[in-house]
Each structure stands twice: as structure tokens, then as C-alpha cells.
Amino acid sequence: MDDKYTKMIEDIHEALVGNDYNDEGLIKKVCKIENKVNQHDTLFKIGAGIIAFLTGVAAFWNDIKSAF
């Protein structure tokens, strides 16, 4: 291969994986972002579930209170 193409491939590899000075390339950064998004999605679903539960309790509060 040409030296020009070899240099381009090395630059792409360095950007994706990292180098000796910075071992965090784009691949690791994307994985971190995906993990954070998944955590936020989980927290959002938990919050939505709590709000739905409390809304149900508030809607049927008189029935719940009369049962006890």
C-alpha cells in the first residue's frame, strides 16, 4: 500500500481505539454514552411507574380508605 493510505488507516485506528497518550478512543466514548443513556432510560421508567402508581392511588383513594 501507499504510505498515504497507511497513514490514513493508522489515523482512523488511532481515532477509534486511542493511542499511547490517550487510550480512550471513540469506541470507548460511545460505550460510555450508551451506558449513561440506558441508566437514564431506566430511571425515567421507574419515575413514570411511580407517578402512575400514585395517580392510581389518588384516583381510588376513597375506595382504598373504605376498604380498611
Side-chain angles (χ1 to χ4, degrees), residues 29-61:
K29 289 180 182 181
V30 168
C31 288
K32 284 183 179 181
I33 291 170
E34 286 178 349
N35 289 337
K36 288 287 186 180
V37 167
N38 289 336
Q39 288 175 353
H40 289 146
D41 286 347
T42 302
L43 291 175
F44 179 75
K45 289 176 184 174
I46 290 170
I50 290 171
I51 290 172
F53 174 75
L54 292 176
T55 303
V57 169
F60 297 106
W61 179 248

Side-chain angles (χ1 to χ4, degrees), residues 5-20:
Y5 295 115
T6 305
K7 175 69 172 137
M8 289 170 65
I9 291 172
E10 288 174 355
D11 289 344
I12 292 169
H13 180 268
E14 189 174 300
L16 292 175
V17 179
N19 56 19
D20 294 337

